[in-house]
Amino acid sequence: AWPRHTDAQLCALRLVAAFVDGGDGDKIQELQRGQILRMLHLGNSSEQQAWGGAQTFKALVYDKFCQDVIAPLYKIYGLRNQGVSVNVSLLADRGPMPDVPAVYFVEPTEANVKRIIEDITAGLYESYYINFASSVPRSLLQELARGTLKASAANKVAGVFDRYVSFVSLSPALFSLNMPDAYARIHSPKTSDEYIQRFISRLVDGLLSVLITTKSLPVIRCPASDPVAEMVARALDERIREMLRTGGAVAAELFAGGSSRGPDSAASGASGQRPLLCIFDRDLDLVTMLHHTWTYQAMAHDVLGMKLNKVTVQVDGNEEATAQSKSQTFYIDESDSFWAQHAGEPFPNVAAAVHEAIEEYNQRRADMTSSGQGDDPMGNLTAGLASAFSAIPEMTEKKRCLDMHTNIATALLNSIKARDLANLFEVEDQFASQSLGASISQMEQLLKEDSKGTTLDKTRALMVLYLTKPSISPGQLQGLLDALQKLGGDTYGVAYLRQLSSMKSMMMQSAAAASSASALSGASGPASLMNSIFSKGEGLLSAGFSSIQNVIQQKRELVICQVLESLMEQKPSALTENYIYLDPKAPPASPGVEVPRIRTPFRRSLAFMIGGGSYAEMQSVMEWAQAKGKQVTYGCTDLVSPEHFVNELCHLGRAQSRGGDDPDLS
């Protein structure tokens, strides 16, 4: 039990770093889920594995960021299984529950601390377990102590914890820091130095949370040519060094996973047991963020706006919402076996898999209903009924899963037909392998008024063309921009890309554009022909497929995979020759003296993208890692849809042309 406090004990509010059990084989999502579970158990790691008594029921109070942290980990019934009878926003009006303990889960901000003090003063709950998503500054801790003492309620604060979970884990190998608009904010001409410092501080808090959750003490690599990535890398390196220097055994245990044995172990430890943290800037590869996607998970994000593993579609199959149509929200994650198996596959293959799964389901249901036939009908009937009753939960869940994926696939198919997404994907895919003249000709066809696709679709295609073919002349580009403007398109995004190119900030991306331009949504190898998915013309989604052209994807490796291979295999490459090397476990080196380096290949890596990431890029990284026998976790400031990224580029273009607002980091 946590100690109670008296009015005279101003410093008795303890800041407790919560430990997690982690190792090489553990996935980031499960490790974070375990940390949240410890929080819901009111600080006990083993005593409260069940919730049979009234004393275990509790209220969960969170801010918006921490609500997003919990959302992919626990649904409502999952929280109830942990004794959470009420879960509510910190900002909501709440009535008193004087007999119920409250678990607060919030970011360490002045506004949140003030609100918590107000709740304590009002006596809303029996006791308060205050959990901060990242390390709470001493000033806020002191403010919390003063507020509780002033309310004569310090004895009700049962504990204050640093949880180090300031990130959102969306799958076993994918996390986001939930920082939207990062690319536009850090590249805005109006961005102040103060803002950049706050931005870097949040990035460091998030990455530190990831490292502590996974118990990883990594070697850090980042491009020296990018100021933000380098500042983040150096600030993180210094933060870890400071913790190890001042925290002693407690701090060392935070990073002690696998073979890490604390700050005093040799800096040249086995690289196969220590991970590599690669920090990238989005300018490394802009094409992947804009390219139309063709795999199931990437299309759910791109076309349907999937957010936090939640997607909303029209369930009646209509393309547009009407008075009669209904929308339904689905939660999809790795616990869904169909999603886990097919998320990274091309959409036609997924549609075929849905059809096959339905056929299998119908066959099994038919077998269950025909069990009463044979020489002994009554005996067969009795056995059949017993088997049928035992199979009901499984069949019910199977039907729910199939209904969900049928609705999602139908919504995607409607958009594919309405916007001719198959053609857009194929045209963009061919830019990298064909001549400039042929690419311009195809783009001109797309920009005709009678060509299918939204104006945004065509804007994306033009941006992909420009990034893929940097040799395009100003006159040729201007002709395409004029055609886009006639359609009502926003050309400021292309203007920003031109400015970025003229500043030579895209030299690496331009040199490698030919090998990454397709942004294959993480898929490799040719896809099945769409019009041959259902040879008999019947079954789920068969209608409409015959009108969609065949799409064959080309296999190309994204730039991020090439950089990861160079860094993890310790192979010299023009892509990584300017990457700095930081090892927070190694003794500080004197100026001009090279830090001792690990020379053998790395087996594990965290790849983190500043400025936004995508499911397409994540899928490509996962495929590369599987092919190379590596373990890679992909993270980013936020998972950004192509539409949103186009808006960020257009915002930057307008800001450069006539000035823009100073972004606000919230």
Side-chain angles (χ1 to χ4, degrees), residues 46 119 248 386 550 611 640:
S46 59
D119 289 354
N550 302 336
V640 183

Side-chain angles (χ1 to χ4, degrees), residues 285-304 344-348 412 415-431 442-443 446-447 451-465 467-468 484 516-523 549 551-554 556 558 614-617 619-620 640-646:
D285 179 10
L286 295 175
V287 182
T288 303
M289 299 296 292
L290 301 165
H291 202 295
H292 282 83
T293 55
W294 199 237
T295 59
Y296 192 30
Q297 185 180 43
M299 290 189 75
H301 183 234
D302 180 357
V303 179
L304 303 179
E345 291 188 1
F347 175 73
L412 289 175
S415 293
I416 289 172
K417 293 189 295 182
R419 294 163 54 185
D420 201 7
L421 295 179
N423 180 56
L424 283 163
F425 174 83
E426 192 170 42
V427 167
E428 293 170 359
D429 189 47
Q430 292 172 352
F431 284 158
Q442 286 190 322
M443 192 66 235
L446 289 178
L447 291 172
S451 176
K452 283 188 176 182
T454 65
T455 303
L456 178 64
D457 287 327
K458 299 174 182 183
T459 303
R460 288 168 60 180
L462 180 53
M463 289 180 171
V464 171
L465 172 63
L467 292 169
T468 307
L484 180 62
S516 68
S518 63
L520 298 180
S521 305
Q549 69 181 74
V551 176
I552 296 181
Q553 303 173 349
Q554 303 179 51
R556 295 190 181 94
L558 300 189
S614 71
Y615 285 99
E617 190 168 61
Q619 289 168 359
S620 183
V640 183
S641 69
E643 177 180 358
H644 193 92
F645 195 70
V646 169

